């Protein structure tokens, strides 16, 4: 028996070098929520002959739904097409009851940023910085992308104190006007990784596919993915989470005990 057939242990491995089709070790999380936008909602964009566009959130085709089917994990869809950190914090999460402790999960994937960057480029609000986050009271966070992002992490840590949080830098091919903000997002999420424990960055911009014309031809229906694209995205997210778990084993040794009154002192908690 070769253990590497079941548990790849390569210190030189980079994210997405090893792709899984069954969810890999992401299956140990058991309950996962995604806080995201259209590309996390299974949104499709059919056009009528007269040019009318339709935007349909079809959750059963979202990458998270595929992820749930791969892994057997319970998944919660805290997403909607067009969502931003600002709208999520200021109205949507409250309206939908997404802060409800009964909906708490052991892991959260946050993918918000695409619509925020669009609004920031238009001058509607500011990107901000890590200094916009008050670690003692999220009510004091500034109304910037950074401040809203910190609020989302802090509020889910209130209802699930030891939850594992995955921060996704989504794969894309940014225009020149968006590129500086995508690079700022990379830096911000890496700072959040250091600011909050058990928080992991998944940098699909660096390690994921380039969304060029060929990629769009294969996986997009107009400006949004179609089912094959979302299934691919589910495999990429599964594979990245599998990579994170395998390279941070001690962090996940007690994942089964997060909502129980037990703690083995040999491991971080």
């Amino acid at each position: 028996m070769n253990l590497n057939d079941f548990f790849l242990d390569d210190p030189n491995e980079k994210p997405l070098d090893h792709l899984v089709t069954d969810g890999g070790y992401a299956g140990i999380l058991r309950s996962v929520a995604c806080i995201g936008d259209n590309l996390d909602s299974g949104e499709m964009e059919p056009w009528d002959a007269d040019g009318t566009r339709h935007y349909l959130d079809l959750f059963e085709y979202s990458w998270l739904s595929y992820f749930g089917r791969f892994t057997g994990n319970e998944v919660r869809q805290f997403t909607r097409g067009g969502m931003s950190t600002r709208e999520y914090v200021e109205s949507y999460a409250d309206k939908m009851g997404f802060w409800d402790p009964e909906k708490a999960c052991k892991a959260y994937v946050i993918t918000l940023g695409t619509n925020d960057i669009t609004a920031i480029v238009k001058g509607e609000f500011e990107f901000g910085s890590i200094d916009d986050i008050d670690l003692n009271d999220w009510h004091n966070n500034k109304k910037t992308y950074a401040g809203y992002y910190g609020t989302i992490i802090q509020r889910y840590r209130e209802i699930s104190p030891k939850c594992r949080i995955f921060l996704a830098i989504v794969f894309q091919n940014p225009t020149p006007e968006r590129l500086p903000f995508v690079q700022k997002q990379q830096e911000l999420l890496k700072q959040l990784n250091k600011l909050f424990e058990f928080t992991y960055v998944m940098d699909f911009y660096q390690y994921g596919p380039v969304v060029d014309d060929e990629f769009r031809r294969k996986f997009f229906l107009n400006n949004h993915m179609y089912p094959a694209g979302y299934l691919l995205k589910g495999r990429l997210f599964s594979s990245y989470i599998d990579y994170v778990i395998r390279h941070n084993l001690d962090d996940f040794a007690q994942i089964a005990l997060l909502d129980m009154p037990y703690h083995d002192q040999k491991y971080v908690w």
Side-chain angles (χ1 to χ4, degrees):
M1 175 182 175
N2 184 350
L3 189 60
N4 277 331
D5 291 340
F6 300 93
F7 193 96
L8 184 63
D9 188 14
D10 179 1
N12 298 315
E13 179 191 12
K14 292 182 174 58
L16 303 182
D17 279 354
H18 175 65
L19 297 180
V20 299
T21 58
D22 61 356
Y25 286 89
I28 70 174
L29 299 177
R30 304 311 299 143
S31 59
V32 182
C34 176
I35 299 95
D37 55 29
N38 43 293
L39 290 177
D40 307 292
S41 302
E43 184 164 306
M44 296 179 209
E45 184 187 341
W47 296 1
D48 292 343
D50 64 2
T52 301
R53 302 184 183 190
H54 304 276
Y55 300 94
L56 310 172
D57 281 359
L58 304 179
F59 289 156
E60 66 180 304
Y61 293 106
S62 72
W63 73 261
L64 184 67
S65 292
Y66 285 117
F67 172 88
R69 292 192 283 272
F70 298 155
T71 61
N73 290 335
E74 175 188 0
V75 296
R76 295 189 182 277
Q77 197 88 43
F78 295 169
T79 68
R80 198 206 67 206
M83 187 53 54
S84 65
T85 56
R86 179 173 59 172
E87 183 181 359
Y88 195 87
V89 169
E90 291 189 350
S91 62
Y92 189 64
D94 282 312
K95 176 183 176 182
M96 301 301 292
F98 289 159
W99 310 123
D100 188 338
E102 294 183 358
K103 297 177 181 177
C105 292
K106 291 184 177 180
Y108 294 85
V109 180
I110 307 175
T111 65
L112 294 173
T114 300
N115 294 307
D116 293 87
I117 291 174
T118 298
I120 291 166
V121 169
K122 292 179 179 178
E124 295 177 5
F125 75 116
E126 297 180 357
F127 189 96
S129 72
I130 200 77
D131 296 330
D132 295 343
I133 300 171
D134 182 344
L135 291 177
N136 297 315
D137 187 351
W138 57 263
H139 293 90
N140 298 328
N141 290 356
K142 292 184 179 179
K143 295 184 177 182
T144 63
Y145 175 64
Y148 288 129
Y149 211 116
T151 297
I152 293 171
I153 295 174
Q154 289 169 291
R155 294 204 65 177
Y156 281 117
R157 279 282 163 78
E158 284 184 345
I159 66 173
S160 185
K162 296 296 181 179
C163 65
R164 276 41 175 172
I165 296 179
F166 299 86
L167 314 178
I169 304 170
V170 297
F171 48 93
Q172 56 184 296
N173 188 11
T175 61
E177 64 178 353
R178 294 175 67 89
L179 180 57
F181 296 104
V182 173
Q183 294 171 332
K184 287 180 70 174
Q185 185 197 33
Q186 284 182 301
E187 181 58 31
L188 172 67
L189 267 56
K190 291 172 183 177
Q191 291 175 325
L192 292 173
N193 165 252
K194 297 176 182 178
L195 193 64
F196 295 101
E197 64 176 356
F198 302 128
T199 302
Y200 314 91
V201 177
M202 300 192 296
D203 193 344
F204 291 101
Y205 177 69
Q206 180 176 359
Y207 297 108
V210 175
V211 185
D212 55 15
D213 290 342
E214 179 67 10
F215 186 90
R216 287 181 174 277
R217 185 185 67 80
K218 291 180 178 177
F219 297 112
F220 272 66
L221 174 65
N222 298 312
N223 297 308
H224 293 82
M225 287 181 165
Y226 77 111
Y230 291 123
L231 187 148
L232 171 65
K233 190 171 181 179
R235 286 182 175 170
L236 292 173
F237 271 70
S238 299
S239 299
Y240 213 130
I241 293 173
D242 169 80
Y243 168 87
V244 169
I245 292 172
R246 287 186 290 103
H247 287 264
N248 297 274
L249 288 176
D250 285 354
D251 287 9
F252 293 88
Q254 301 195 78
I255 192 71
L257 307 177
L258 293 195
D259 52 1
M260 302 175 70
Y262 305 102
H263 172 206
D264 189 308
Q265 297 296 324
K266 294 193 297 295
Y267 294 94
V268 293
W269 188 239

